[in-house]
Amino acid sequence: MDKQAVTVIGLGPMGQAMVTAFLDNGHPVTVWNRTASRADALVARGAGRAATTTEALTASQLVILSLTDHDAMYAILEPAAAALPGRVVVNLSSDTPERARTAAEWVEQRGARYLTGGVQTPPSGIGSPEFSTLYSGPQEVFEAHRDTLRVLTGTDYRGSDPGLAALYYQLQMDMFWTTMLSYLHALALADANGISAKEFLPYATSTLSSIPSFMEFYAPRIEAGEHPGDVDRLAMGTASVDHVVHTTRDAGIDAALPSAVLEIFRRGMAEGHATDSFTSLVEVFRKAAA
Ligand code: NDP
């Protein structure tokens, strides 16, 4: 059976991995990149080079964007908008849910269909079904292209709102960056005390692998709006974070990160949650947003 033709616009590390996966699976691929030389190795492997963005859009019905953000999408598609009618644009570039909704409207107004995607693996995972990419947008459009998109990773369709894939992606980035920053902070603290990254590694992974069981325990309570202090109390957590701040200062390293955490714990205390679980801090976050 003939494989579906695909155009990939954006050849950073992610776009390059995507083109390679499509070529390996026998899909005809057309590529375009602002810096044309980044296409050279892929063209040598069999990809077709589009000289212009209009040519790139015309080459395939399915057009995948792998760009830094949505501003790059407008910069590329605006001058070639006449070639958009009839295309299916799958935007795998990160941005906010609101900007994903605006981009969907912008593309649909110009006669193309639109899916948002959020890739949940580094480029090395492209081509592996054990990783997955979040998608949202019109279900029939997703279903029609699911088999081709599966060449990249497994698929996780979140719903018709084009903002949803971006939202789930940002939820994960919210946790990822905070967690990784806390790892780097602990690493600097370990290092200041003569403990190497290698020595610290099993302790770091042990702490992080205990987190899922905490989340599974607390999630139903949080969902029910209950924060009983039967297992932990915010006052205990506040004292614990205070110890981290002091251990950090004693080591002579930057204490901005644990100090910010301490400030949030203290807000919870000031709002009367001392004898509740630390999960009551979710109410502090909700209040700040209101
Ligand atoms: P890069 O930022 O390295 O590459 C982005 C691409 O966007 C390049 O081809 C670049 O062109 C192009 N670009 C940027 N601005 C413009 C513009 N104004 N006009 C035209 N082209 C532009 O990103 P990655 O390849 O690493 O990632 C692509 C997307 O995938 C990003 O949204 C990223 O968040 C997401 N992602 C990346 C992961 C990763 O580990 N790399 C993991 C998960 C998601 P040029 O070559 O000319 O600079």
Side-chain angles (χ1 to χ4, degrees), residues 10-35:
L11 301 174
M14 188 56 92
Q16 300 223 7
M18 289 175 176
V19 174
T20 303
F22 282 128
L23 289 174
D24 287 349
N25 279 272
H27 287 265
V29 187
T30 300
V31 295
W32 184 89
N33 195 58
R34 177 179 61 178
T35 308

Side-chain angles (χ1 to χ4, degrees), residues 9-16 18 32-36 38 66-69 71-73 75-76 92-95 118-123 169:
I9 295 180
L11 301 174
M14 188 56 92
Q16 300 223 7
M18 289 175 176
W32 184 89
N33 195 58
R34 177 179 61 178
T35 308
R38 288 183 107 172
S66 178
L67 302 163
T68 308
D69 54 23
D71 283 343
M73 178 196 85
I76 290 168
L92 300 181
S93 321
S94 308
D95 218 311
V119 182
Q120 303 180 97
T121 169
Y169 182 83

